[in-house]
Amino acid sequence: GEGFKVANMKLVIGNKLYSSWSLRPWILMRHLGLAFEEALVPLDQPDTKARILAHSPAGKVPVLVDGAATVWESLAILDHLADAHATLPIWPDAPAARAYARSIAAEMHAGFQPLRAAMPMNLGKKYAHKDRGPDVAANVARVEALWREARTRFGAGGPYLFGAQFGAADAMYAPVVTRLDTYSWP
């Protein structure tokens, strides 16, 4: 009947409390209502690598198995989902907005190492704010600038970075929001 979806995709992830990379595709897929099986591989266990290698040659999570396609790396998974579900608002439709969204998503994927190292994702704890150094402050300022520009240029139609629809760029930055909260960043 309507409303029942058979999962034809499997998302292999680590614990979403700690694995920001696993959280990114998971949150987008859940938000969009895509049917998928969630396969949790406990991290930092003696068999973790072997369990992940059963799904991906990279030996890291997340991994999306979608029929004959196996896709690893968060950003590649988001792009695959956009290709496979072209009618869903994963990337903005307008070319300038789409280019900006892809650019800031790629910047998140490749950058912000000081922020990641000083403020690892941990949704199970809350820390008091403290100075984490000028590199972390610069990373946070850059993230805020990206968000401000996205909202100013493309986000007037709703509460998300690019307006009314939660998309891939929002999913890429969702773990940063949790980190800023976890570490009580002002």
Side-chain angles (χ1 to χ4, degrees), residues 90-184:
I90 295 172
W91 294 111
D93 286 333
R98 187 171 50 254
Y100 191 79
R102 286 189 166 147
S103 294
I104 69 172
E107 185 172 349
M108 171 45 61
H109 193 266
F112 303 104
Q113 281 77 15
L115 186 148
R116 292 171 205 238
M119 297 170 28
M121 190 166 124
N122 185 340
L123 296 178
K125 294 200 175 184
K126 183 86 166 183
Y127 300 97
H129 176 72
K130 72 176 189 178
D131 183 1
R132 299 196 179 268
D135 292 339
V136 173
N139 277 184
V140 174
R142 175 67 182 150
V143 166
E144 290 173 336
L146 293 171
W147 291 347
R148 191 169 20 264
E149 184 170 353
R151 296 285 303 137
T152 299
R153 290 180 61 195
F154 309 109
Y160 301 109
L161 288 174
F162 292 85
Q165 301 295 331
F166 182 92
D170 300 285
M172 287 299 290
Y173 282 90
V176 176
V177 174
T178 71
R179 287 174 187 200
L180 296 177
D181 181 60
T182 295
Y183 295 92
S184 301

Coordinates of all heavy atoms in Angstrom, one line a residue, residues 90-184:
I90 N 18.0 17.8 -3.8 CA 19.3 17.6 -3.1 C 20.2 18.7 -3.4 O 20.9 19.1 -2.4 CB 19.8 16.2 -3.6 CG1 18.8 15.1 -3.1 CG2 21.2 16.0 -3.1 CD1 19.1 13.7 -3.6
W91 N 20.3 19.2 -4.6 CA 21.1 20.4 -4.9 C 20.1 21.4 -5.4 O 19.1 21.1 -6.1 CB 22.2 20.1 -6.0 CG 23.3 19.1 -5.6 CD1 23.4 17.9 -6.0 CD2 24.3 19.4 -4.6 NE1 24.5 17.3 -5.4 CE2 25.1 18.2 -4.5 CE3 24.6 20.4 -3.8 CZ2 26.2 18.1 -3.7 CZ3 25.7 20.3 -3.0 CH2 26.5 19.2 -2.9
P92 N 20.4 22.7 -5.2 CA 19.5 23.7 -5.8 C 19.4 23.6 -7.3 O 20.3 23.2 -8.0 CB 20.2 25.0 -5.4 CG 21.1 24.7 -4.2 CD 21.5 23.3 -4.5
D93 N 18.2 24.0 -7.8 CA 18.0 24.0 -9.2 C 18.7 25.1 -10.0 O 19.3 24.9 -11.1 CB 16.5 24.2 -9.6 CG 15.7 22.9 -9.3 OD1 16.3 21.8 -9.3 OD2 14.5 23.0 -9.0
A94 N 18.8 26.3 -9.4 CA 19.4 27.5 -10.1 C 20.9 27.2 -10.2 O 21.5 26.9 -9.3 CB 19.1 28.8 -9.3
P95 N 21.4 27.4 -11.4 CA 22.9 27.1 -11.6 C 23.8 27.8 -10.7 O 24.7 27.2 -10.2 CB 23.1 27.6 -13.1 CG 21.8 27.4 -13.7 CD 20.8 27.8 -12.7
A96 N 23.6 29.1 -10.4 CA 24.5 29.8 -9.5 C 24.4 29.3 -8.1 O 25.4 29.1 -7.4 CB 24.2 31.3 -9.5
A97 N 23.2 29.0 -7.6 CA 23.0 28.4 -6.3 C 23.6 27.0 -6.2 O 24.2 26.7 -5.2 CB 21.5 28.4 -5.9
R98 N 23.4 26.2 -7.3 CA 23.9 24.9 -7.3 C 25.4 24.9 -7.3 O 26.1 24.1 -6.5 CB 23.4 24.1 -8.5 CG 23.8 22.6 -8.5 CD 23.1 21.8 -9.6 NE 23.2 22.4 -10.9 CZ 22.2 23.0 -11.6 NH1 21.0 23.1 -11.0 NH2 22.4 23.5 -12.8
A99 N 26.0 25.8 -8.0 CA 27.5 25.9 -8.0 C 28.0 26.3 -6.7 O 29.0 25.8 -6.2 CB 27.9 26.9 -9.1
Y100 N 27.3 27.2 -6.0 CA 27.8 27.7 -4.7 C 27.6 26.5 -3.7 O 28.5 26.3 -2.8 CB 27.0 28.9 -4.2 CG 27.6 29.5 -3.0 CD1 28.7 30.3 -3.1 CD2 27.0 29.3 -1.7 CE1 29.3 30.9 -1.9 CE2 27.6 29.9 -0.6 CZ 28.7 30.7 -0.7 OH 29.2 31.2 0.4
A101 N 26.5 25.8 -3.7 CA 26.2 24.7 -2.8 C 27.3 23.6 -3.0 O 27.8 23.1 -2.0 CB 24.8 24.2 -3.0
R102 N 27.6 23.3 -4.2 CA 28.6 22.2 -4.4 C 30.0 22.7 -4.0 O 30.7 21.9 -3.4 CB 28.6 21.9 -5.9 CG 27.4 21.0 -6.3 CD 27.6 20.4 -7.6 NE 26.6 19.4 -7.8 CZ 26.0 19.1 -9.0 NH1 26.3 19.8 -10.0 NH2 25.1 18.1 -9.0
S103 N 30.3 24.0 -4.1 CA 31.5 24.5 -3.7 C 31.7 24.5 -2.2 O 32.7 24.1 -1.7 CB 31.7 25.9 -4.2 OG 31.8 26.0 -5.6
I104 N 30.7 24.9 -1.5 CA 30.8 24.9 0.0 C 30.7 23.5 0.5 O 31.4 23.2 1.6 CB 29.8 25.9 0.7 CG1 28.3 25.4 0.6 CG2 29.9 27.3 0.1 CD1 27.4 26.2 1.4
A105 N 30.0 22.6 -0.1 CA 30.0 21.2 0.3 C 31.4 20.6 0.1 O 31.9 19.9 1.0 CB 29.0 20.4 -0.4
A106 N 32.0 20.9 -1.0 CA 33.4 20.4 -1.3 C 34.4 21.0 -0.3 O 35.3 20.3 0.2 CB 33.8 20.7 -2.7
E107 N 34.2 22.3 0.0 CA 35.1 22.9 1.0 C 35.0 22.3 2.4 O 36.0 22.0 3.0 CB 34.8 24.4 1.1 CG 35.8 25.2 2.0 CD 35.6 26.7 1.9 OE1 34.9 27.2 1.1 OE2 36.2 27.3 2.8
M108 N 33.8 21.9 2.7 CA 33.6 21.2 4.0 C 34.3 19.8 4.0 O 34.9 19.4 4.9 CB 32.1 21.0 4.3 CG 31.8 20.1 5.5 SD 32.8 20.3 7.0 CE 32.4 22.0 7.4
H109 N 34.1 19.1 2.9 CA 34.7 17.8 2.7 C 36.2 17.8 2.8 O 36.8 16.9 3.4 CB 34.2 17.2 1.4 CG 34.5 15.7 1.3 ND1 35.7 15.2 0.7 CD2 33.8 14.7 1.7 CE1 35.6 13.9 0.7 NE2 34.5 13.5 1.3
A110 N 36.8 18.8 2.3 CA 38.3 18.9 2.2 C 39.0 19.7 3.2 O 40.2 19.6 3.4 CB 38.7 19.4 0.8
G111 N 38.2 20.5 4.0 CA 38.9 21.5 4.8 C 38.5 21.4 6.3 O 37.9 20.5 6.8
F112 N 38.8 22.5 7.0 CA 38.4 22.7 8.4 C 39.1 21.7 9.3 O 38.5 21.4 10.3 CB 36.9 22.8 8.5 CG 36.2 23.8 7.7 CD1 35.6 23.4 6.5 CD2 36.3 25.2 8.0 CE1 35.0 24.4 5.7 CE2 35.7 26.1 7.2 CZ 35.1 25.7 6.0
Q113 N 40.3 21.3 9.0 CA 41.0 20.4 9.9 C 41.2 20.9 11.3 O 41.0 20.1 12.2 CB 42.3 19.9 9.3 CG 42.2 18.9 8.2 CD 41.7 19.5 6.8 OE1 41.8 20.7 6.6 NE2 41.3 18.6 5.9
P114 N 41.6 22.1 11.5 CA 41.7 22.6 12.9 C 40.4 22.4 13.7 O 40.4 22.0 14.9 CB 42.1 24.0 12.8 CG 42.9 24.1 11.5 CD 42.1 23.2 10.6
L115 N 39.3 22.8 13.1 CA 38.0 22.7 13.8 C 37.7 21.2 14.1 O 37.3 20.9 15.2 CB 36.9 23.3 12.9 CG 35.5 23.4 13.6 CD1 34.8 24.6 13.0 CD2 34.7 22.1 13.3
R116 N 38.0 20.3 13.1 CA 37.7 18.9 13.3 C 38.6 18.3 14.5 O 38.1 17.5 15.3 CB 38.0 18.1 12.1 CG 37.0 18.4 10.9 CD 37.6 17.7 9.7 NE 37.1 18.4 8.5 CZ 36.4 17.9 7.6 NH1 36.1 16.6 7.6 NH2 36.0 18.6 6.6
A117 N 39.8 18.7 14.5 CA 40.8 18.1 15.5 C 40.5 18.6 16.9 O 40.5 17.9 17.8 CB 42.2 18.5 15.1
A118 N 40.2 19.9 17.0 CA 39.9 20.5 18.3 C 38.5 20.3 18.9 O 38.3 20.4 20.1 CB 40.2 22.0 18.3
M119 N 37.6 20.0 18.0 CA 36.2 19.8 18.4 C 35.6 18.6 17.7 O 34.7 18.7 16.9 CB 35.4 21.1 18.1 CG 35.9 22.3 18.8 SD 35.3 24.0 18.3 CE 33.7 23.8 17.7
P120 N 36.1 17.4 18.1 CA 35.5 16.2 17.4 C 34.1 16.0 17.7 O 33.6 16.4 18.8 CB 36.4 15.1 18.0 CG 37.0 15.6 19.2 CD 37.1 17.1 19.1
M121 N 33.4 15.4 16.8 CA 31.9 15.3 17.0 C 31.6 14.3 18.1 O 32.2 13.2 18.2 CB 31.3 14.8 15.7 CG 29.8 14.8 15.8 SD 29.0 14.6 14.2 CE 27.9 13.2 14.5
N122 N 30.8 14.7 19.0 CA 30.3 13.9 20.1 C 29.0 14.4 20.6 O 28.9 15.3 21.3 CB 31.3 14.0 21.3 CG 31.0 13.0 22.4 OD1 29.8 12.6 22.5 ND2 32.0 12.7 23.2
L123 N 27.9 13.7 20.1 CA 26.6 14.2 20.4 C 26.1 13.8 21.8 O 25.1 14.2 22.2 CB 25.6 13.7 19.4 CG 25.8 14.2 17.9 CD1 24.8 13.5 17.0 CD2 25.7 15.7 17.9
G124 N 27.0 13.0 22.5 CA 26.6 12.6 23.8 C 27.1 13.4 24.9 O 26.9 13.1 26.1
K125 N 27.9 14.5 24.6 CA 28.5 15.3 25.7 C 28.2 16.8 25.4 O 27.9 17.2 24.2 CB 30.0 15.1 25.8 CG 30.3 13.7 26.3 CD 31.7 13.6 26.8 CE 31.9 12.2 27.4 NZ 33.1 12.1 28.0
K126 N 28.4 17.6 26.4 CA 28.4 19.1 26.2 C 29.6 19.6 27.0 O 29.8 19.2 28.2 CB 27.1 19.6 26.8 CG 26.8 21.1 26.7 CD 26.2 21.4 25.3 CE 25.7 22.8 25.3 NZ 25.1 23.2 24.1
Y127 N 30.3 20.5 26.4 CA 31.5 21.1 27.0 C 31.3 22.6 27.2 O 30.7 23.2 26.3 CB 32.8 20.8 26.2 CG 33.0 19.4 26.0 CD1 32.6 18.7 24.8 CD2 33.7 18.6 26.9 CE1 32.9 17.4 24.6 CE2 34.0 17.3 26.8 CZ 33.6 16.6 25.6 OH 33.8 15.3 25.4
A128 N 31.9 23.2 28.2 CA 31.9 24.6 28.3 C 32.8 25.2 27.2 O 33.8 24.6 26.8 CB 32.5 25.0 29.7
H129 N 32.5 26.4 26.8 CA 33.3 27.1 25.8 C 34.7 27.4 26.4 O 34.8 27.7 27.6 CB 32.6 28.4 25.4 CG 33.5 29.2 24.4 ND1 33.7 28.8 23.1 CD2 34.2 30.3 24.6 CE1 34.5 29.6 22.5 NE2 34.8 30.6 23.4
K130 N 35.7 27.2 25.5 CA 37.0 27.7 25.9 C 37.7 28.0 24.6 O 37.3 27.6 23.5 CB 37.8 26.6 26.6 CG 38.2 25.4 25.8 CD 39.1 24.4 26.6 CE 39.7 23.3 25.7 NZ 40.5 22.4 26.5
D131 N 38.8 28.8 24.7 CA 39.6 29.2 23.5 C 40.2 28.0 22.9 O 40.9 27.3 23.6 CB 40.6 30.3 24.0 CG 41.4 30.8 22.8 OD1 41.2 30.4 21.7 OD2 42.3 31.6 23.1
R132 N 40.0 27.8 21.7 CA 40.6 26.6 21.0 C 41.6 27.0 20.0 O 42.0 26.2 19.1 CB 39.5 25.8 20.4 CG 38.5 25.2 21.5 CD 37.7 24.1 21.1 NE 36.8 23.7 22.2 CZ 37.2 22.7 23.1 NH1 38.3 22.1 22.9 NH2 36.4 22.4 24.1
G133 N 42.0 28.3 20.1 CA 43.1 28.7 19.3 C 42.7 29.5 18.0 O 41.5 29.4 17.6
P134 N 43.6 30.3 17.4 CA 43.2 31.1 16.3 C 42.8 30.3 15.0 O 42.0 30.8 14.3 CB 44.5 32.0 16.1 CG 45.6 31.2 16.7 CD 45.0 30.4 17.8
D135 N 43.4 29.2 14.8 CA 43.0 28.4 13.6 C 41.6 27.9 13.7 O 40.9 27.9 12.7 CB 44.0 27.2 13.4 CG 45.4 27.6 13.1 OD1 45.6 28.8 12.6 OD2 46.3 26.8 13.3
V136 N 41.1 27.5 14.9 CA 39.7 27.0 15.0 C 38.8 28.3 14.9 O 37.8 28.2 14.2 CB 39.5 26.3 16.4 CG1 38.1 26.1 16.6 CG2 40.3 25.0 16.5
A137 N 39.2 29.4 15.5 CA 38.4 30.6 15.4 C 38.3 31.0 13.9 O 37.2 31.4 13.5 CB 39.0 31.7 16.2
A138 N 39.4 30.9 13.2 CA 39.3 31.2 11.7 C 38.4 30.3 11.0 O 37.7 30.7 10.1 CB 40.7 31.2 11.2
N139 N 38.5 29.0 11.3 CA 37.6 28.0 10.7 C 36.1 28.3 10.9 O 35.3 28.3 10.0 CB 37.9 26.6 11.2 CG 39.0 25.9 10.5 OD1 39.3 24.7 10.8 ND2 39.8 26.5 9.6
V140 N 35.8 28.6 12.2 CA 34.4 28.9 12.5 C 34.0 30.2 11.8 O 32.9 30.3 11.3 CB 34.2 29.0 14.0 CG1 32.8 29.5 14.4 CG2 34.5 27.7 14.7
A141 N 34.8 31.2 11.7 CA 34.5 32.4 11.0 C 34.3 32.2 9.6 O 33.3 32.7 9.0 CB 35.6 33.5 11.2
R142 N 35.1 31.3 9.0 CA 34.9 30.9 7.5 C 33.5 30.2 7.4 O 32.8 30.5 6.4 CB 36.0 30.1 7.0 CG 35.9 29.5 5.6 CD 35.9 30.7 4.6 NE 35.7 30.1 3.3 CZ 35.2 30.8 2.3 NH1 34.8 32.0 2.4 NH2 35.0 30.2 1.1
V143 N 33.2 29.3 8.2 CA 31.9 28.6 8.1 C 30.8 29.6 8.3 O 29.8 29.6 7.5 CB 31.8 27.5 9.2 CG1 30.4 27.0 9.4 CG2 32.7 26.3 8.9
E144 N 30.9 30.5 9.2 CA 29.8 31.5 9.4 C 29.7 32.4 8.1 O 28.6 32.7 7.7 CB 30.1 32.4 10.6 CG 29.9 31.6 11.9 CD 30.3 32.4 13.1 OE1 31.2 33.3 13.0 OE2 29.8 32.1 14.2
A145 N 30.8 32.7 7.5 CA 30.8 33.5 6.3 C 30.1 32.8 5.2 O 29.3 33.4 4.4 CB 32.2 34.0 5.9
L146 N 30.4 31.5 5.0 CA 29.8 30.7 4.0 C 28.3 30.6 4.2 O 27.5 30.8 3.3 CB 30.4 29.3 4.0 CG 31.8 29.1 3.6 CD1 32.3 27.7 3.8 CD2 32.0 29.5 2.1
W147 N 27.9 30.4 5.4 CA 26.4 30.3 5.8 C 25.8 31.6 5.5 O 24.7 31.7 4.9 CB 26.2 29.9 7.2 CG 26.6 28.5 7.6 CD1 26.9 27.5 6.7 CD2 26.7 28.0 8.9 NE1 27.2 26.3 7.4 CE2 27.1 26.6 8.8 CE3 26.6 28.5 10.1 CZ2 27.3 25.8 9.9 CZ3 26.8 27.7 11.2 CH2 27.2 26.4 11.1
R148 N 26.4 32.7 5.9 CA 25.8 34.0 5.7 C 25.6 34.3 4.2 O 24.6 34.8 3.8 CB 26.7 35.1 6.4 CG 26.1 36.4 6.5 CD 26.9 37.4 7.4 NE 28.3 37.1 7.7 CZ 28.7 36.5 8.7 NH1 27.9 36.1 9.7 NH2 30.0 36.3 8.9
E149 N 26.6 34.0 3.4 CA 26.5 34.3 2.0 C 25.4 33.4 1.3 O 24.6 33.9 0.5 CB 27.8 34.1 1.3 CG 27.7 34.5 -0.2 CD 29.1 34.5 -0.9 OE1 30.1 34.4 -0.3 OE2 29.0 34.7 -2.2
A150 N 25.4 32.1 1.7 CA 24.4 31.2 1.2 C 23.0 31.8 1.5 O 22.1 31.8 0.6 CB 24.5 29.8 1.7
R151 N 22.8 32.1 2.8 CA 21.4 32.6 3.2 C 21.1 33.9 2.5 O 20.0 34.1 2.0 CB 21.4 32.8 4.7 CG 21.6 31.5 5.5 CD 20.3 30.6 5.5 NE 19.2 31.4 6.0 CZ 18.0 31.3 5.5 NH1 17.7 30.6 4.4 NH2 17.0 32.1 6.0
T152 N 22.1 34.8 2.4 CA 21.8 36.2 1.8 C 21.5 36.0 0.3 O 20.6 36.6 -0.2 CB 23.1 37.1 2.0 OG1 23.3 37.2 3.4 CG2 22.9 38.4 1.4
R153 N 22.4 35.3 -0.4 CA 22.2 35.2 -1.9 C 21.1 34.2 -2.3 O 20.4 34.5 -3.3 CB 23.5 34.7 -2.5 CG 24.6 35.7 -2.4 CD 25.9 35.3 -3.0 NE 25.7 34.9 -4.5 CZ 26.6 34.2 -5.1 NH1 27.7 33.7 -4.6 NH2 26.4 33.9 -6.4
F154 N 20.9 33.1 -1.5 CA 20.0 32.1 -2.1 C 19.0 31.6 -1.1 O 18.1 30.8 -1.4 CB 20.9 30.8 -2.5 CG 22.0 31.2 -3.4 CD1 23.3 31.1 -3.0 CD2 21.8 31.6 -4.7 CE1 24.4 31.4 -3.8 CE2 22.8 31.9 -5.6 CZ 24.1 31.8 -5.1
G155 N 19.0 32.0 0.2 CA 18.2 31.4 1.2 C 16.9 32.1 1.6 O 16.3 31.7 2.6
A156 N 16.5 33.1 0.9 CA 15.4 33.9 1.3 C 14.1 33.2 1.4 O 13.2 33.5 2.1 CB 15.2 35.1 0.4
G157 N 14.0 32.1 0.6 CA 12.7 31.4 0.6 C 12.4 30.4 1.7 O 11.5 29.6 1.6
G158 N 13.3 30.3 2.7 CA 13.0 29.3 3.7 C 14.2 29.3 4.8 O 15.1 30.1 4.7
P159 N 14.1 28.3 5.7 CA 15.0 28.3 6.8 C 16.4 27.7 6.6 O 17.2 27.7 7.4 CB 14.2 27.5 7.9 CG 13.4 26.5 7.0 CD 13.0 27.3 5.8
Y160 N 16.6 27.1 5.4 CA 17.8 26.3 5.1 C 18.8 27.2 4.4 O 18.5 28.3 3.9 CB 17.5 25.0 4.4 CG 16.6 24.2 5.2 CD1 15.3 24.0 4.8 CD2 17.0 23.6 6.4 CE1 14.4 23.2 5.6 CE2 16.1 22.8 7.2 CZ 14.8 22.6 6.8 OH 14.0 21.9 7.5
L161 N 20.0 26.7 4.2 CA 21.1 27.4 3.5 C 20.6 28.0 2.2 O 21.0 29.1 1.8 CB 22.3 26.6 3.3 CG 23.1 26.3 4.6 CD1 24.3 25.3 4.3 CD2 23.7 27.6 5.2
F162 N 19.9 27.2 1.4 CA 19.5 27.6 0.1 C 17.9 27.7 0.0 O 17.4 27.5 -1.1 CB 20.0 26.6 -1.0 CG 21.5 26.7 -1.0 CD1 22.3 26.0 -0.2 CD2 22.1 27.6 -1.9 CE1 23.7 26.1 -0.2 CE2 23.5 27.7 -2.0 CZ 24.3 27.0 -1.1
G163 N 17.3 28.1 1.1 CA 15.9 28.4 1.0 C 15.0 27.4 1.7 O 15.3 26.9 2.8
A164 N 14.0 27.0 1.0 CA 12.9 26.2 1.6 C 13.3 24.7 1.7 O 12.6 24.0 2.5 CB 11.6 26.3 0.7
Q165 N 14.2 24.2 1.0 CA 14.5 22.8 1.0 C 15.8 22.4 1.7 O 16.9 23.0 1.4 CB 14.5 22.2 -0.4 CG 13.3 22.4 -1.2 CD 12.1 21.6 -0.6 OE1 12.3 20.6 0.0 NE2 10.9 22.2 -0.8
F166 N 15.8 21.5 2.6 CA 17.0 20.9 3.2 C 17.7 20.1 2.1 O 17.1 19.2 1.6 CB 16.7 20.1 4.4 CG 17.8 19.5 5.1 CD1 18.4 20.1 6.2 CD2 18.4 18.2 4.8 CE1 19.5 19.6 6.9 CE2 19.4 17.7 5.5 CZ 20.0 18.4 6.5
G167 N 19.0 20.4 1.8 CA 19.7 19.6 0.8 C 21.0 19.2 1.2 O 21.4 19.2 2.3
A168 N 21.8 18.8 0.2 CA 23.1 18.3 0.4 C 24.1 19.2 1.2 O 24.8 18.8 2.0 CB 23.8 17.9 -1.0
A169 N 24.0 20.5 0.8 CA 24.9 21.4 1.6 C 24.5 21.5 3.0 O 25.4 21.6 3.9 CB 24.8 22.8 0.9
D170 N 23.2 21.5 3.3 CA 22.8 21.5 4.7 C 23.3 20.2 5.4 O 23.7 20.3 6.6 CB 21.3 21.6 4.8 CG 20.7 22.8 4.2 OD1 20.8 23.9 4.8 OD2 20.2 22.7 3.1
A171 N 23.2 19.1 4.7 CA 23.7 17.8 5.3 C 25.2 17.9 5.6 O 25.6 17.3 6.6 CB 23.3 16.7 4.4
M172 N 25.9 18.5 4.7 CA 27.4 18.6 4.9 C 27.7 19.4 6.1 O 28.7 19.1 6.8 CB 28.1 19.1 3.6 CG 28.1 18.1 2.5 SD 29.0 16.6 2.8 CE 30.7 17.2 2.9
Y173 N 26.9 20.4 6.4 CA 27.2 21.3 7.5 C 26.5 21.0 8.8 O 26.8 21.5 9.9 CB 27.0 22.8 7.1 CG 28.1 23.3 6.3 CD1 28.1 23.2 4.9 CD2 29.3 23.8 6.9 CE1 29.2 23.6 4.1 CE2 30.3 24.2 6.1 CZ 30.3 24.1 4.8 OH 31.4 24.6 4.0
A174 N 25.5 20.0 8.8 CA 24.8 19.7 10.0 C 25.7 19.2 11.1 O 25.5 19.7 12.3 CB 23.8 18.6 9.7
P175 N 26.8 18.4 10.9 CA 27.6 18.0 12.0 C 28.4 19.2 12.6 O 28.8 19.2 13.7 CB 28.6 17.0 11.4 CG 27.8 16.4 10.2 CD 27.0 17.6 9.7
V176 N 28.7 20.2 11.8 CA 29.3 21.4 12.3 C 28.4 22.1 13.3 O 28.9 22.6 14.3 CB 29.8 22.4 11.1 CG1 30.4 23.6 11.7 CG2 30.7 21.7 10.2
V177 N 27.2 22.2 13.0 CA 26.2 22.8 13.9 C 26.2 22.1 15.2 O 26.3 22.7 16.3 CB 24.8 22.8 13.3 CG1 23.8 23.3 14.3 CG2 24.7 23.7 12.0
T178 N 26.3 20.7 15.1 CA 26.3 20.0 16.4 C 27.6 20.2 17.2 O 27.6 20.3 18.4 CB 26.1 18.4 16.2 OG1 27.3 17.9 15.5 CG2 24.9 18.2 15.3
R179 N 28.7 20.3 16.5 CA 30.0 20.6 17.1 C 30.0 22.0 17.8 O 30.4 22.1 18.9 CB 31.1 20.6 16.1 CG 31.5 19.2 15.7 CD 32.5 19.1 14.6 NE 32.6 17.8 14.1 CZ 33.7 17.3 13.5 NH1 34.7 18.1 13.2 NH2 33.7 16.1 13.1
L180 N 29.4 23.0 17.2 CA 29.4 24.3 17.8 C 28.5 24.2 19.0 O 28.8 24.9 20.0 CB 28.9 25.3 16.8 CG 29.7 25.5 15.5 CD1 29.1 26.5 14.6 CD2 31.1 26.0 15.9
D181 N 27.5 23.4 19.0 CA 26.6 23.3 20.2 C 27.3 22.5 21.2 O 27.4 22.9 22.4 CB 25.3 22.6 19.8 CG 24.4 22.4 21.0 OD1 24.0 23.5 21.6 OD2 24.1 21.3 21.3
T182 N 27.9 21.3 20.9 CA 28.6 20.5 21.8 C 29.7 21.2 22.6 O 29.9 21.1 23.8 CB 29.3 19.3 21.1 OG1 28.2 18.5 20.6 CG2 30.1 18.4 22.0
Y183 N 30.4 22.1 21.9 CA 31.6 22.8 22.5 C 31.2 24.3 22.9 O 32.0 25.1 23.1 CB 32.8 22.8 21.6 CG 33.3 21.4 21.4 CD1 32.8 20.6 20.4 CD2 34.2 20.9 22.3 CE1 33.3 19.3 20.3 CE2 34.6 19.6 22.2 CZ 34.2 18.8 21.2 OH 34.6 17.5 21.1
S184 N 29.9 24.5 23.0 CA 29.3 25.8 23.5 C 30.0 27.0 22.8 O 30.4 28.0 23.4 CB 29.5 25.9 25.0 OG 28.8 24.9 25.6

